[in-house]
Amino acid sequence: MSTAQLIAVDQILSVLVVAVWGAAAGFCTAVIRRPGIRRTALIATALVAAAILATGARVATAIALATAGWWFAAEKITVALPLTVVPALATAVVTLPRLQRGREPAALPPFAAAYGALAGVLATTVMSYPVTAAGVTGIVALFAGACAITWAVLTGRRLDRTRVAGVAVLALALVWALAGSWSGGGTVHAGHGVAAAGVPVSRLLGPSAPDAKRFTLTAREAAVRLPSGLSAAAWAFNGQVPGPTLRVRQGDLVEVTLRNELPDEGVTIHWHGYDVPSGEDGVPGVTQNAVKPGETHVYRFRAAQAGTYWYHSHQDPSVAVPRGLFGLLVVDPAEPIEQDHTVALHTFAGKLTMSLDGAGPSDELIPASIPPGGPVRLRIVNTDSVSRTIGLAGVPYTLAAVDGTDVPGATALSGQRLSLAAGGRYDLAFTMPSGPVRLHVDGHPGLLAGGPAPLPPPAGPILDITRYGTATAAPTRFDKNVTWVLDQDVAFSGGLPKLAQTVNGKAWPNIPTPTVRRGETIEITVVNRGREDHPMHPHGHHVRILSRNGHPANGLWMDTFDVAPGEVWVVALKADNPGMWMSHCHDLAHAARGMEFHLAYEGITTPFDVTEANHPA
Ligand code: C2O
Ligand code: CU
């Protein structure tokens, strides 16, 4: 079983164990209340046996998960199992034999097992990883309280109602306070002010030059109409979706003026995957204030690296990007080829669309005319919040670049499929044959060049890009190690518990900010304990992929890497771009629900604040 499957099975079992122990305890009480009814005793026996079996299965999945990695099972092994297995054993030894002999069973052990199982569910859904002293104290206190009350009821002690209520309120208050400290604890501004004195991020700007390539992007309301007839209201740059493709030559200075003509939404421009100076990164509340309606802002940076990138607003991005405030940024190499095309993938009106070379988005088959014989590059950009499976049929091709960086030793592919992360980019390269070529994207009719032909989609395995190309030397010595354990659980934010997308059990703004020093190399271990993909995107840096699920990787450079459920990615980040940086999941809804934090450099501060007006996620 894969780790993802184990996580799913364990989740089902964890709930099942609570239900079966609860039922077993209930029937044991019924046997005590109305002794001598044979059928009740039989059902009680069967339920106790089933509960013990289910507990055994849970022990097995928890151990298997711990073998896959301690992050996946820490709270299960340390909290859920002891609190369930000990009472389960007591039930087997004390309660079961009495039931079988037709005697009055001891009902406390099965109740305790049910509470223990429930405590285990709490440990996973409220505490997650890591296991904290406060978390364990709160959960064990609840467990002990429930056992004590049940014991009092079973032994017929008269309970003073007001006292019970008082104790319950106190216990809940204690748990609330503890939960707040284990999943909360930050300020609205975590990560800011970590260096009290230093260089403000607003001074880390790109160069201005008279010969810069100049663009103006004006955000305003627009409408999208798809060839199929569907339409959607949009926010667009210069009235078009995607926004204009900014194409510059490697080495150019770029100067982009953002103008906001939206009625009442702030806008910024973030250069996704482009490692610009921090002050040009376009994150409201971190590197600038959101540009209000009627205002303008100028971005400047040198296009030092060639490749495929994109830009989008970072103000309320989970709303703004789906609505259309994005476009492509292509930095051509010194000698570009003739047949160099861009394909932007985006969902409008609920339909996956493709935009070829900046044309309006289409949800129908797109014809492309590419003359045979020459080299072709297809730059595919996933601007949605979910990954896409793509494949090229009709020609062998190479995955020439990932996230803007050329892949060394890219070998020919045919028949395989590729999974492109949300926010990620793949450049496919091939020589145009005399016959047809078709780009397939799951959920879209595709793009067809070289004349009509059915060309079925590739059905081969998904390429493991972390082992594609040739291995290149990657860092092996690290100044710091950071672990990000991703999950969905209840975490405090703004003083209230919420179901959040969490990092190490915490949600924005409570996720601690790693602080680095210029020149350091950081090893980052990213673990996905949840049930959804998390395309992780650190701003301002590309990371090198060192391993995936324990298998050494080829050192690919990426800026958006998709960590699937149950996966463990280890990446290296070289701290070579001082600033205050955002790091987040590029499933933008996940970022909005907490999966967002910062990477700070020593000595860099920010004068900006996350406020009502500045909403980076
Ligand atoms: Cu594409 Cu922080 O974003
Ligand atoms: Cu996510």
Side-chain angles (χ1 to χ4, degrees):
M1 239 191 275
S2 70
T3 309
Q5 288 165 329
L6 274 173
I7 292 173
V9 171
D10 184 75
Q11 238 169 45
I12 295 167
L13 276 176
S14 70
V15 176
L16 188 76
V17 168
V18 176
V20 187
W21 275 118
F27 269 88
C28 286
T29 327
V31 173
I32 299 171
R33 293 254 160 82
R34 305 176 59 193
I37 301 179
R38 185 91 197 108
R39 225 187 45 202
T40 318
L42 272 179
I43 296 175
T45 313
L47 282 171
V48 166
I52 291 173
L53 276 180
T55 307
R58 181 91 210 280
V59 172
T61 53
I63 291 175
L65 278 173
T67 320
W70 183 240
W71 320 278
F72 295 113
E75 88 291 1
K76 307 183 205 312
I77 304 282
T78 57
V79 180
L81 293 193
L83 293 186
T84 317
V85 171
V86 173
L89 289 176
T91 312
V93 176
V94 181
T95 311
L96 201 55
R98 294 181 69 98
L99 265 178
Q100 281 166 331
R101 275 185 255 120
R103 307 248 294 278
E104 183 173 283
L108 184 59
F111 270 108
Y115 300 146
L118 195 56
V121 172
L122 272 185
T124 296
T125 53
V126 179
M127 183 170 61
S128 180
Y129 183 93
V131 173
T132 59
V136 174
T137 313
I139 289 164
V140 171
L142 279 181
F143 168 80
C147 288
I149 291 173
T150 306
W151 174 77
V153 171
L154 287 172
T155 53
R157 257 152 246 262
R158 293 186 58 86
L159 290 175
D160 176 340
R161 292 252 165 93
T162 34
R163 201 177 292 172
V164 169
V167 170
V169 168
L170 269 181
L172 280 177
L174 173 77
V175 170
W176 186 278
L178 290 172
S181 80
W182 82 64
S183 72
T187 61
V188 183
H189 224 189
H192 293 224
V194 280
V199 180
V201 74
S202 49
R203 288 231 299 271
L204 304 174
L205 301 175
S208 86
D211 60 341
K213 290 268 163 53
R214 294 198 165 73
F215 303 92
T216 299
L217 295 174
T218 305
R220 62 173 89 100
E221 290 182 314
V224 191
R225 187 166 294 280
L226 303 180
S228 66
L230 289 168
S231 63
W235 293 340
F237 287 117
N238 298 4
Q240 64 185 85
V241 284
T245 299
L246 309 185
R247 257 197 128 116
V248 298
R249 194 60 73 86
Q250 188 171 17
D252 282 348
L253 291 172
V254 184
E255 188 179 299
V256 180
T257 303
L258 164 64
R259 215 175 269 289
N260 184 2
E261 290 180 3
L262 285 171
D264 47 32
E265 179 77 8
V267 178
T268 67
I269 298 179
H270 165 62
W271 311 97
H272 183 116
Y274 220 69
D275 300 335
V276 298
S278 194
E280 308 286 2
D281 199 41
V283 181
V286 182
T287 69
Q288 67 171 99
N289 285 319
V291 178
K292 296 201 191 82
E295 292 181 348
T296 59
H297 184 95
V298 180
Y299 297 92
R300 295 186 179 91
F301 56 91
R302 181 185 294 279
Q305 206 201 338
T308 310
Y309 307 90
W310 62 299
Y311 62 87
H312 60 78
S313 179
H314 221 296
Q315 168 77 351
D316 276 326
S318 67
V319 177
V321 179
R323 283 210 166 196
L325 283 179
F326 70 93
L328 305 193
L329 167 67
V330 176
V331 180
D332 282 316
E335 279 164 32
I337 58 167
E338 189 83 7
Q339 294 297 323
D340 187 312
H341 301 277
T342 60
V343 177
L345 306 176
H346 196 83
T347 299
F348 285 111
K351 293 267 274 183
L352 178 59
T353 69
M354 263 190 210
S355 156
L356 174 63
D357 294 328
S362 170
D363 52 349
E364 292 181 345
L365 182 70
I366 299 176
S369 73
I370 300 176
V376 182
R377 189 179 269 251
L378 282 186
R379 302 173 183 268
I380 304 169
V381 183
N382 184 358
T383 68
D384 270 334
S385 270
V386 293
S387 64
R388 297 290 176 199
T389 305
I390 61 184
L392 196 66
V395 68
Y397 66 99
T398 62
L399 176 52
V402 171
D403 287 356
T405 310
D406 284 351
V407 178
T411 48
L413 301 169
S414 78
Q416 287 100 326
R417 290 173 303 151
L418 307 172
S419 177
L420 178 56
R425 289 88 61 211
Y426 285 162
D427 292 10
L428 311 187
F430 54 92
T431 301
M432 186 65 196
S434 46
V437 167
R438 183 164 179 174
L439 173 69
H440 284 276
V441 179
D442 276 4
H444 191 279
L447 182 139
L448 185 63
L455 284 185
I462 304 258
L463 179 78
D464 178 2
I465 52 156
T466 68
R467 306 225 260 166
Y468 179 66
T470 47
T472 49
T476 50
R477 292 199 45 236
F478 304 97
D479 301 293
K480 286 201 173 92
N481 303 76
V482 182
T483 303
W484 301 337
V485 178
L486 314 175
D487 203 353
Q488 180 175 36
D489 57 282
V490 178
F492 271 63
S493 109
L496 289 172
K498 295 192 182 108
L499 185 62
Q501 300 286 347
T502 56
V503 180
N504 299 344
K506 299 192 181 211
W508 164 269
N510 300 319
I511 302 166
T513 300
T515 304
V516 299
R517 195 175 292 164
R518 182 179 201 152
E520 283 181 336
T521 305
I522 325 297
E523 183 187 54
I524 307 173
T525 304
V526 192
V527 181
N528 185 349
R529 275 176 51 114
R531 307 276 309 268
E532 294 167 277
D533 287 354
H534 296 301
M536 299 309 286
H537 173 53
H539 283 206
H541 304 78
H542 282 71
V543 297
R544 302 203 62 187
I545 312 301
L546 303 178
S547 72
R548 178 182 175 213
N549 302 332
H551 301 292
N554 280 351
L556 211 61
W557 292 91
M558 298 182 83
D559 57 57
T560 318
F561 54 100
D562 209 354
V563 184
E567 287 199 328
V568 181
W569 289 54
V570 181
V571 306
L573 181 147
K574 177 100 182 137
D576 56 4
N577 195 4
M580 183 76 78
W581 300 102
M582 183 85 150
S583 258
H584 61 96
C585 175
H586 222 281
D587 182 326
L588 295 169
H590 290 183
R593 287 207 306 271
M595 204 170 267
E596 161 199 14
F597 52 106
H598 290 163
L599 174 75
Y601 277 67
E602 277 177 18
I604 307 289
T605 61
T606 177
F608 306 107
D609 236 311
V610 177
T611 58
E612 269 310 298
N614 288 330
H615 262 197

